[in-house]
Amino acid sequence: MSFVSVERHGDVAVIVVDSPPVNALSQGVREGLVKHIELAESDDECKAVVIICAGRTFIAGADIKEFGKPPLEPYLPDVVARIEACEKPVVAAIHGTALGGGYEVALGSHYRIAAESAAIGLPEVHLGILPGASGTQRLPRLIGAGPALEIMLSGKPVKASAALKIGAIDRVSADDELKTNAIAFAEECIDTGPRRIRDMDAPAPDPDLFQATREKIAAKTRGLMSPERIIRCVELASTVDFDEGLAGERELFLECMASPQSAGLRHAFFAERQVSKVPGLGKETETRELQKLAVIGAGTMGAGIAYSCLAAGFEVTLLDNHAEGLARGEQTVKELYVGGVKRGKISESDMQNGLGRFQISQSYDDIANVDIVIEAVFESMAVKKEVFTALDGVLKPGAILATNTSTLSIDEIASCTSRPQDVIGLHFFSPAHIMRLLEIVRGSRTADDVIATSLKLAKRLGKIGVVVGNCFGFVGNRMLYSYGRESQLLLLEGAAPEAVDKALFNWGMAMGPNAVGDLAGLDVGFKVRQERTDLPDDPRFYRVADMLAEQGRFGQKTGKGTYLYEEGSRKPTADPEVAVMIRDEAIRLGVQQRDIDSQEIIERCVYGLIVEGARILEEGIASRSSDIDVVWMNGYGFPRYRGGPMHYADSIGLAKVYESVCALEKRFGSMYWEPPALLKTLAESGGRFAD
Ligand code: 3HC
């Protein structure tokens, strides 16, 4: 099958790439581009060339599916070089997004025109690599080292109008006239001839820029290897000649490509796209119409959910029984809007428009007509049941009844309604308007169209919806219990809270577990544990957190939790009092304290996650190991470059993981460390969770 064809328009050859869905540069596309450039060059009738794409976008980059496999000729850098070497002027006509290798093809072209709605970008950094088809050498020559670094290090797409301003493209065209304008542009260029970026002046060496850039990105790119290599490539662009720079880029690109980081980030890319394909839920599944929405409970979570839904264009009613709480919730929504305007994230008119669709109420009668309700009240089964009974009494038939519970049984909540098929869990993460994850919890009787509608809702809210099964804590919080259990036991056994946090932070977690506990509030988990009837028979289980909560040390909100906080500060400082409390409690419980190194901290916490993840897979609570990874990367600050806990386990090798879990079982007993059967089977057969 041919992915590249040619049309003739007068003396311009229009090379059309047509390789759905996103015209990625597979071997066939690369071969087709070279073939048609060569044909155009040898055709005396042809005076100029346009490269354009069919379908929804210009070339979206190298074909990521080919990564990790033996490379096939022609290689992309050679394709780009061949386009640039063409003796006839070549114009790239961009619509949709020209990303990565796609924009590098445009940089190999001699001129660039883009549709008004198009964008260009070099997002390779998100895949743990760097622009490896000459982008690091060509872009700094075209627009300067500073702006080129900005584009490559952020990985963010740049809209056509902004790209024109910085010279990253030459012209902007009305969307529906792109092809006509590109052909006209090519005609104009016949006299001027090719303009090759490789012949342009290199940017002047600027050590200050590179040093300042390193400092600027240090915190954001912690632990990542490709940003530093991108900077080195741009340093090369300004200090050595073009070909030497290209050779340097190649070497650093291959180093990144072979790294576990890139494998982890590529896994994350595909896992996040896989997640919307729910086994058993066909494309033909109908969805319900959603426009009017109500949120019950005006606390921080409820207000955050209401704001997210307003921002996505819904009509939203925020309902709370308590007038005071409702007023606070209303205020929170307004403040989120004002904050968004202040930071330039939204316009004044978006705010007015959003607030125009926002109502508050204390009466269930006011929400009888909504299409979906999201309940976000206090995490107690009794309270939830009260709310769902009331909702069942007033809502119109076909409305979706969603609960934002983070742990409780969806089936039990559904049991107090006459319509369990309409009940679903929509577990948002705090802060709800920022966190990308939405756990969609299917009860045993939840209807397929309710699940499909929830996935669509997640997309509309700009979130990643992951469908999971019903059990205590679902996927995310159930695994969090294992991770937290180990981090808590480590404290009793003698590790300082700051040592536990530092080890896991340095390993790549967004925050350490003790700092997270203080941020979320130690009272929250304490109350949940008090409601649970299935806790392990172990006096050490979450003992430190419970002890702190019992003393009113709830974390940041009370100025002290595991750590101390100065008035108005979120910076944790170690509290010697807590160290004494933990030591005394360890003595009381007969736990021997000892020195614990960071390797043990990481192993116990991360293996705790993996073991629970394996059980979750075994039980079918998650349908794919990659779904678990998506939950942990997007909801719990698991380092993306490690690909999520299950991918991380696969990358170590399950035989090795199994061996380590057996060793932990031997040392700490079977209560927590009995290896799941799935782990054992896969370890013995050389399999992976991903299989
Ligand atoms: N290679 C292979 N498949 C790709 C791909 C790529 N570069 N980009 C997207 N796809 C696939 C997706 O996996 C998905 O497949 P599926 O339908 O089987 O799940 C399909 O295309 C559609 O993708 P999205 O669901 O993401 O579609 P959207 O319309 O939401 O987004 C997009 C389109 C903006 C192009 C987005 O897909 C994207 O950002 N793609 C990645 C772009 C990228 O990272 N390019 C750089 C690649 S690395 C590179 O070029 C190296 C070079 O410098 C040498």
Side-chain angles (χ1 to χ4, degrees):
M1 178 171 174
S2 168
F3 300 111
V4 186
S5 59
V6 69
E7 297 167 3
R8 269 305 274 279
H9 293 262
D11 44 13
V12 177
V14 177
I15 298 177
V16 184
V17 178
D18 187 1
S19 178
V22 296
N23 293 313
L25 287 154
S26 61
Q27 194 266 344
V29 171
R30 299 196 299 275
E31 199 171 62
L33 277 170
V34 171
K35 176 179 136 190
H36 285 289
I37 284 286
E38 284 175 351
L39 284 175
E41 199 168 44
S42 60
D43 178 355
D44 291 342
E45 308 279 293
C46 164
K47 302 276 185 265
V49 179
V50 166
I51 299 177
I52 198 165
C53 291
R56 66 205 230 211
T57 180
F58 191 76
I59 300 165
D63 188 341
I64 307 170
K65 292 195 180 92
E66 287 184 357
F67 288 7
K69 298 180 185 156
L72 296 169
E73 288 187 45
Y75 306 133
L76 188 53
D78 300 335
V79 175
V80 175
R82 183 64 193 89
I83 293 170
E84 189 176 59
C86 183
E87 285 162 12
K88 297 167 184 176
V90 181
V91 174
I94 299 166
H95 77 291
T97 40
L99 298 176
Y103 184 52
E104 289 172 304
V105 163
L107 290 172
S109 306
H110 307 130
Y111 304 92
R112 288 150 289 280
I113 179 168
E116 272 167 347
S117 61
I120 58 103
L122 292 171
E124 284 86 344
V125 70
H126 297 314
L127 296 170
I129 53 175
L130 49 86
S134 71
T136 67
Q137 303 305 299
R138 287 201 165 91
L139 192 58
R141 282 177 165 77
L142 186 67
I143 64 172
L149 277 171
E150 174 86 33
I151 289 177
M152 289 188 270
L153 291 171
S154 74
K156 283 189 192 149
V158 182
K159 287 190 181 141
S161 53
L164 180 68
K165 261 192 207 146
I166 56 173
I169 57 171
D170 303 299
R171 282 189 193 180
V172 173
S173 155
D175 281 8
D176 52 3
E177 287 168 20
L178 178 66
K179 189 165 159 185
T180 314
N181 288 335
I183 293 168
F185 191 11
E187 296 271 9
E188 284 173 43
C189 297
I190 292 172
D191 287 341
T192 339
R195 187 190 56 174
R196 300 186 176 95
I197 294 177
R198 64 169 289 139
D199 298 333
M200 292 181 184
D201 290 341
D206 184 353
D208 290 347
L209 168 73
F210 299 119
Q211 192 45 34
T213 304
R214 286 190 170 96
E215 283 165 20
K216 192 172 132 200
I217 65 163
K220 238 184 167 171
T221 59
R222 174 173 65 94
L224 288 171
M225 63 182 282
S226 76
E228 166 57 24
R229 281 151 186 82
I230 288 173
I231 298 175
R232 271 193 238 161
C233 283
V234 179
E235 279 177 324
L236 282 178
S238 54
T239 47
V240 300
D241 72 26
F242 187 77
D243 289 321
E244 211 179 312
L246 273 191
E249 177 195 88
R250 192 82 208 134
E251 197 180 309
L252 293 168
F253 174 79
L254 293 176
E255 187 196 345
C256 288
M257 183 65 110
S259 69
Q261 286 198 355
S262 176
L265 288 163
R266 272 153 27 212
H267 169 76
F269 177 86
F270 286 115
E272 285 174 359
R273 279 155 182 83
Q274 184 84 348
V275 91
S276 59
K277 293 161 196 144
V278 179
L281 206 70
K283 270 199 174 137
E284 67 290 347
T285 311
E286 303 252 323
T287 54
R288 300 187 190 179
E289 193 63 38
L290 299 184
Q291 194 44 45
K292 287 189 181 152
L293 187 148
V295 179
I296 317 278
T300 314
M301 190 49 121
I305 296 172
Y307 173 76
S308 281
C309 296
L310 286 167
F314 291 101
E315 289 169 42
V316 178
T317 304
L318 182 63
L319 187 146
D320 201 303
N321 286 338
H322 303 285
E324 222 177 274
L326 186 59
R328 253 200 319 271
E330 183 184 23
Q331 190 56 27
T332 307
V333 171
K334 286 183 178 159
E335 279 166 10
L336 287 171
Y337 264 116
V338 171
V341 173
K342 252 192 207 153
R343 286 196 307 281
K345 298 258 179 218
I346 46 173
S347 68
E348 182 78 30
S349 75
D350 283 345
M351 175 169 82
Q352 295 310 340
N353 178 298
L355 290 174
R357 284 180 274 107
F358 181 46
Q359 288 182 345
I360 54 167
S361 167
Q362 282 189 271
S363 161
Y364 279 83
D365 292 336
D366 290 342
I367 60 165
N369 268 327
V370 298
D371 306 309
I372 176 168
V373 171
I374 303 172
E375 162 278 310
V377 300
F378 184 63
E379 186 76 348
S380 139
M381 185 54 88
V383 181
K384 304 261 183 208
K385 280 186 169 172
E386 234 173 76
V387 172
F388 274 74
T389 306
L391 289 174
D392 192 30
V394 295
L395 291 186
K396 68 179 183 188
I400 295 177
L401 285 71
T403 167
N404 178 51
T405 178
S406 54
T407 52
L408 303 173
S409 166
I410 305 303
D411 288 338
E412 196 178 337
I413 295 174
S415 70
C416 68
T417 72
S418 60
R419 35 178 140 180
Q421 74 281 0
D422 297 333
V423 178
I424 193 158
L426 291 180
H427 179 205
F428 288 78
F429 287 70
S430 186
H433 62 292
I434 291 178
M435 297 293 285
R436 281 181 81 206
L437 179 64
L438 183 67
E439 256 186 327
I440 298 174
V441 192
R442 71 198 301 175
S444 58
R445 294 178 62 188
T446 308
D448 281 356
D449 66 342
V450 172
I451 299 168
T453 308
S454 300
L455 276 165
K456 211 167 148 189
L457 171 69
K459 206 162 190 181
R460 197 161 152 196
L461 296 178
K463 300 199 184 292
I464 303 179
V466 185
V467 177
V468 300
N470 184 33
C471 64
F472 180 87
F474 321 124
V475 167
N477 279 346
R478 175 167 160 185
M479 287 170 72
L480 182 64
Y481 257 90
S482 304
Y483 174 79
R485 175 199 75 219
E486 286 308 307
S487 75
Q488 287 273 305
L489 287 174
L490 285 158
L491 299 182
L492 273 183
E493 290 167 35
E498 54 279 17
V500 172
D501 282 3
K502 189 171 166 206
L504 288 159
F505 178 79
N506 287 345
W507 188 77
M509 297 300 293
M511 283 172 85
N514 296 299
V516 171
D518 276 2
L519 176 68
L522 294 177
D523 51 328
V524 180
F526 179 62
K527 280 181 201 142
V528 172
R529 285 189 292 280
Q530 281 187 319
E531 279 228 357
R532 279 185 77 172
T533 51
D534 59 343
L535 291 180
D537 181 17
D538 178 5
R540 303 166 309 155
F541 186 77
Y542 276 86
R543 185 55 209 138
V544 174
D546 286 351
M547 183 174 68
L548 294 168
E550 281 159 10
Q551 298 185 14
R553 298 185 65 125
F554 295 157
Q556 288 190 13
K557 59 184 160 194
T558 54
K560 49 186 178 175
T562 309
Y563 296 107
L564 277 179
Y565 300 86
E566 274 177 29
E567 180 86 38
S569 164
R570 288 165 170 272
K571 193 171 169 271
T573 37
D575 186 348
E577 230 176 77
V578 169
V580 174
M581 278 160 51
I582 296 175
R583 195 197 55 209
D584 290 351
E585 193 63 6
I587 293 170
R588 194 182 72 79
L589 294 170
V591 178
Q592 185 77 37
Q593 291 211 316
R594 60 192 165 87
D595 285 339
I596 297 178
D597 63 16
S598 52
Q599 198 188 332
E600 179 178 343
I601 294 171
I602 294 161
E603 183 173 83
R604 283 176 58 187
C605 292
V606 176
Y607 280 33
L609 275 180
I610 294 169
V611 165
E612 200 58 40
R615 292 198 185 107
I616 281 172
L617 261 186
E618 217 168 58
E619 291 168 28
I621 295 295
S623 36
R624 280 178 291 248
S625 64
S626 59
D627 287 2
I628 299 178
D629 290 332
V630 173
V631 167
W632 267 77
M633 288 185 289
N634 290 286
Y636 296 86
F638 194 96
R640 225 178 141 72
Y641 62 80
R642 295 194 192 271
M646 308 318 276
H647 173 84
Y648 178 65
D650 280 343
S651 70
I652 297 172
L654 295 189
K656 225 166 151 188
V657 173
Y658 177 64
E659 199 182 299
S660 303
V661 173
C662 290
L664 287 164
E665 185 188 26
K666 216 165 160 199
R667 191 165 164 207
F668 297 107
S670 300
M671 183 185 304
Y672 302 132
W673 290 109
E674 188 183 348
L678 177 68
L679 174 60
K680 184 169 190 277
T681 312
L682 289 172
E684 285 168 356
S685 63
R688 301 173 317 151
F689 287 130
D691 304 326

